[in-house]
Amino acid sequence: MTHLLRRWQIKAATIMGVLVLALLMAPQVAFAGTTGNITGVVKDAAGKPLADVKVAAAAPSQSLTGTTDAHGYYSLVNLIPDTYTLSFQKSGYQATSVPGVTVLQDQTVTVNQQMQTELKTIANVTASGTSNLVKPDQGSDVYTIGGAQLTAATNPTGSLETIYQWLAVTPGVTANGFPAQPRIRGGQVTDLGYEFEGIPIQDRMVGFFTTNLSNTGLSNVEVYTGGLAGAGAVNGTGYFNSVLKTGTYPGFSSLSLQASTPEANQYLTFEHGWASADRRFSAYVGFTGVNSQNQYDYGEHTYPGVIWPCFCDGPGPVKERNWVGNFHYHPNEKNDIQFVLTNDLGDFDFNYLLTRGPGESLPLAIQPCPGVVSSWSGGFTGNGGGSTPTYGMGGTAANGQPCPLGIQWSALGNGQGNIWHHYGGLGKIQWNHNINEHSFFNLRLDENFNQYIFDQPMADPNIPSLENPGAPYSFLGSLCPNYPYTPGTPVAAPTGDPFDMCAQGDGIQVFYGDRRSNIWEGAVDYTNAISDRVTFKAGVSHEYDRNLFHYVNTHVFSIIPNGTDSGQLVYPGLFEDASFPTTQEIAYANAELHFGKLMVNPGLTWAQRHYGFPADQGYATGTGACPVTCNVYGGGYTASAWDPTFNGSYAFSANDVVKFSYGNTTSFIGSAYVYTSSMATYTGYDGLSTTRNPFIPGTTFQPQLNHSAELLWEHNFGNNTTMRVGPYYNNTTNYYSQFKPFLGYFITPPCSNLDIGACTPCSVGTVGCVPVFAHNNVLTNNNEHHTTGAEFGLNHVVNGPRGTSYWISATYDNFWTSAFDISGAFINTPLPENITRTGMRIRSVSNPLWSGTVLVDYHADRFHLDPLLYYQGDTFFNTGVTCNKDSAGNTVAPFICQNEQIAHGWWRANLMAYEELGTKHNYVLGLKVDNLFDQVTDTAPCISDGTGCFPFNGPFSGITNQPGLIYQNYSQSPRTFYFFAGVKM
């Protein structure tokens, strides 16, 4: 650790020196920022620039003043997102005001003004709100979801929703189902980034988000689907940035309740924001909580097969508690000190159908027997092995009987089974300092803590009517003792089979995991809006991540070589361990240059991540396991990337803008997919442990590189109606995968893939000629994705008391990949190498070709009616099916042997209606219907054995005599009614 800290100190000093030099030469923001800007030019009636005009921006959260320069240019920078009123004053001219100027984080609003000889108050700034899709001064393709759109997509009382609910209404964002984990312009769920108030909220181990992704206290969400620049270039295909509400003067409060049926879910939401009269201090706190009974996937809530055989993540109570706090202190106009605190708690209980009546047997877990010893013999360099599947034997159970497998049954409490616990917390202190009217910097220190505990002890449901011989879920039949099993008795081995165990599915879960990360980050961003033609931005950041990734199997043991033939017995058995630190540095600079109607935004981003894995004794690399000598391998590796970007726009008129971008972005590989401890090598039940050796020949884990381009047309129809439409292109190279390299065609036997030098090459069709693949799986950057597509957005907003607002989105995502499975994080399984060498690419089951939404808010004074329609078409299945036998039964190189198929279109509708009551419209009473038409079919068919699709098959599935491809509803919730009420104070 000391040498890492020293190395970082040297790097930090170098980077800070470069930054200071850059600031002195040409002041330069932008991680996903948390503040925005207003700029413009003021002229007189003859069109000449006016100097020394006092320009002021005022909002409930903040006020700021500035003065125009000799060219009439002004800039009000570092503004808290809010809706401002601009005022222009100069001696000899009539004062002018412009209300309704909406400032969004990380964006600049241009408001040019002409000083009139008569007082003129402009009633509104057309299409300046969050739903405006015409952004001539924005190089990135960004959608802002807030205000009426955010309310219509979720609910007016702020009851708990996840980010999936409103990301689904964004062009360029797709998912397999609704709502579901999003993808941006192809790829998978870990190819994009998540940020909260500018804080990265992805752990560096597996790439998933660290918070509950709730809507607690959100002001708006920005969705970047293309043209990523600055620090955003390390977010792969795109990213989301959420910003909190801010306290105002006068203050506000709200309280709401929500309940649902047929499942009894209860929601509580509370918020309070306030500020001092001079707006020097402001504070906002928000809370959401839910006690939720998950809908069972079939919608019938009674299917017993949820616990068979299987992962057991069926319905059960979910409890979430989310707190947020956003505090600002403005000692003066030039300085703002912000504190952000969040706290997420979640319990996800998978104990459905585990409650037992009086006299019924309890579900069972497994514990080691006292006195157990290693069953391993023969050492670790040749033909050693375990004589039992658990790698343990002996000992005495609580009832006094000997333990053949070294383990015994223990009872779980009534209704207890498997539960996940989640805790997440964010903290940030940020200093926003305006150096002068045109330049500012943001200095941020933040911490992100995230922990998941996967407590899954259940080894057997212990239900005689379902598990005894002849019953639907008898595992090994008469080879095992009859149920019920008694706590304190040994786990038996089946008669005649010492390498198995008498436990349902060899133990349904029997797993405990602790995944924990602490991310500390320091960042500084600098912006200088030098003139109406030139803005420079730059920034650097350093991040240190303390990662703990420790998974164990509680029904088996691990053996650690210790110089003896039997090794050292360890309980529980190690499944996977990747507990080591990572660090990450980012530096970027980009310019915004205006040449009349043309704006160009070139930029360059450098990023690196250091994987601090230790030197490893290489237990996985004994004789015959590695093609070269690699028994001990060194620790640590640094991956880096340079990402040039070029974005821009051309304003043909105030109503027509063409936006374009081309550049590279980066996505670093999660540390858990680079290295895991080889101590998991000798764990009972081979295959239930994971080791990853980054020094096996052929292994690479460079960052995934995304090459993207887009060309979009933005049009303002007037009357607050705007559109954005155009094509995009993404090509992701260096995509991470795990595969066995193709070595060639050889005569076998006796050819060994550990020594192909002694093998005889041959031609396909020769007797005994077969394809030979390497012995070891290799982790490398040999996968590729390719996407061409188009996105369309059409927004119409009516701000008056009566009217219909709508937001329409559509995405065409023509996605091709060299991997036949991209459902997991980072590691994907490619097609066999002999196929990918030909350039063949296939569809993905996770990426539908078409998707779109229509979201409407019809409002008539107090009443709102908000329907939402989601459509998804051309979901692919049966992709990448390979065979290695020809029609004559000869072994040949793998080839695609079945055609891919396309599922039918799939749609879903929600409907929300509510009334605002009271003289101030401050009471809300409403109803939301989720899955209005009770859509029950899934997005794609699955393969049934005649009783349904695994794992939801069997005699209790309700499906009989339907083999082959069927549409089985195992991923959609039934129609649910939500009743809500709230008060605004």
Side-chain angles (χ1 to χ4, degrees), residues 731-815:
N731 185 46
T732 303
T733 57
N734 273 15
Y735 211 81
Y736 209 43
S737 65
Q738 176 174 285
F739 76 113
K740 292 181 182 296
F742 176 63
L743 303 180
Y745 294 94
F746 301 94
I747 300 294
T748 185
C751 179
S752 168
N753 57 8
L754 291 175
D755 186 18
I756 61 171
C759 299
T760 302
C762 58
S763 300
V764 177
T766 306
V767 176
C769 184
V770 298
V772 175
F773 293 82
H775 177 82
N776 289 306
N777 278 317
V778 173
L779 294 166
T780 188
N781 301 97
N782 77 326
N783 254 342
E784 180 184 10
H785 297 337
H786 178 83
T787 307
T788 55
E791 62 187 43
F792 169 80
L794 178 64
N795 295 349
H796 172 70
V797 178
V798 177
N799 294 315
R802 301 179 68 89
T804 301
S805 301
Y806 55 81
W807 301 267
I808 300 173
S809 73
T811 304
Y812 170 73
D813 195 54
N814 187 23
F815 178 80

Side-chain angles (χ1 to χ4, degrees), residues 512 550 552-558 570-575 683:
Y512 182 88
H550 187 74
V552 296
N553 294 315
T554 56
H555 67 317
V556 295
F557 305 86
S558 288
V570 176
Y571 178 84
L574 183 62
F575 174 71
T683 294

Side-chain angles (χ1 to χ4, degrees), residues 868-901:
L868 168 64
L869 180 66
Y870 176 86
Y871 176 81
Q872 176 178 306
D874 290 359
T875 299
F876 299 93
F877 64 98
N878 209 53
T879 63
V881 179
T882 60
C883 301
N884 63 354
K885 298 285 186 181
D886 62 18
S887 58
N890 299 316
T891 300
V892 297
F895 63 98
I896 301 291
C897 58
Q898 293 185 24
N899 292 329
E900 69 184 20
Q901 299 187 49

Side-chain angles (χ1 to χ4, degrees), residues 186-356:
Q188 65 173 4
V189 296
T190 52
D191 291 342
L192 45 85
Y194 294 85
E195 296 186 5
F196 184 92
E197 280 281 336
I199 306 169
I201 54 171
Q202 284 174 290
D203 77 30
R204 303 315 187 190
M205 294 177 288
V206 297
F208 283 104
F209 39 82
T210 61
T211 72
N212 286 340
L213 293 183
S214 74
N215 60 329
T216 311
L218 286 193
S219 171
N220 67 73
V221 179
E222 287 184 328
V223 184
Y224 288 79
T225 63
L228 309 187
V234 297
N235 283 310
T237 58
Y239 65 101
F240 315 112
N241 182 35
S242 304
V243 170
L244 286 171
K245 295 178 182 178
T246 303
T248 63
Y249 180 82
F252 62 93
S253 299
S254 68
L255 175 67
S256 68
L257 299 172
Q258 179 174 273
S260 69
T261 185
E263 293 289 354
N265 303 327
Q266 302 91 32
Y267 300 78
L268 172 65
T269 304
F270 168 78
E271 66 177 355
H272 181 53
W274 70 99
S276 58
D278 58 4
R279 296 172 180 80
R280 178 168 292 187
F281 174 79
S282 70
Y284 173 85
V285 293
F287 169 81
T288 58
V290 60
N291 293 335
S292 175
Q293 176 70 35
N294 275 350
Q295 307 286 0
Y296 182 50
D297 294 328
Y298 285 88
E300 299 298 332
H301 320 292
T302 56
Y303 177 46
V306 69
I307 57 173
W308 310 97
C310 77
F311 191 62
C312 304
D313 55 350
V318 170
K319 298 178 181 179
E320 279 193 37
R321 305 291 185 267
N322 305 295
W323 285 95
V324 299
N326 186 16
F327 308 92
H328 286 267
Y329 174 62
H330 302 268
N332 51 52
E333 270 199 344
K334 287 190 172 183
N335 293 284
D336 170 35
I337 300 173
Q338 181 192 25
F339 297 89
V340 171
L341 297 170
T342 76
N343 190 287
D344 296 344
L345 296 173
D347 284 336
F348 307 90
D349 191 339
F350 305 131
N351 298 331
Y352 186 66
L353 294 177
L354 296 182
T355 300
R356 305 294 162 79

Side-chain angles (χ1 to χ4, degrees), residues 140-171:
S140 298
D141 183 21
V142 56
Y143 298 88
T144 304
I145 305 169
Q149 184 183 13
L150 182 60
T151 298
T154 54
N155 58 73
T157 61
S159 296
L160 181 64
E161 300 276 8
T162 67
I163 197 171
Y164 304 154
Q165 194 76 25
W166 56 90
L167 294 183
V169 302
T170 307

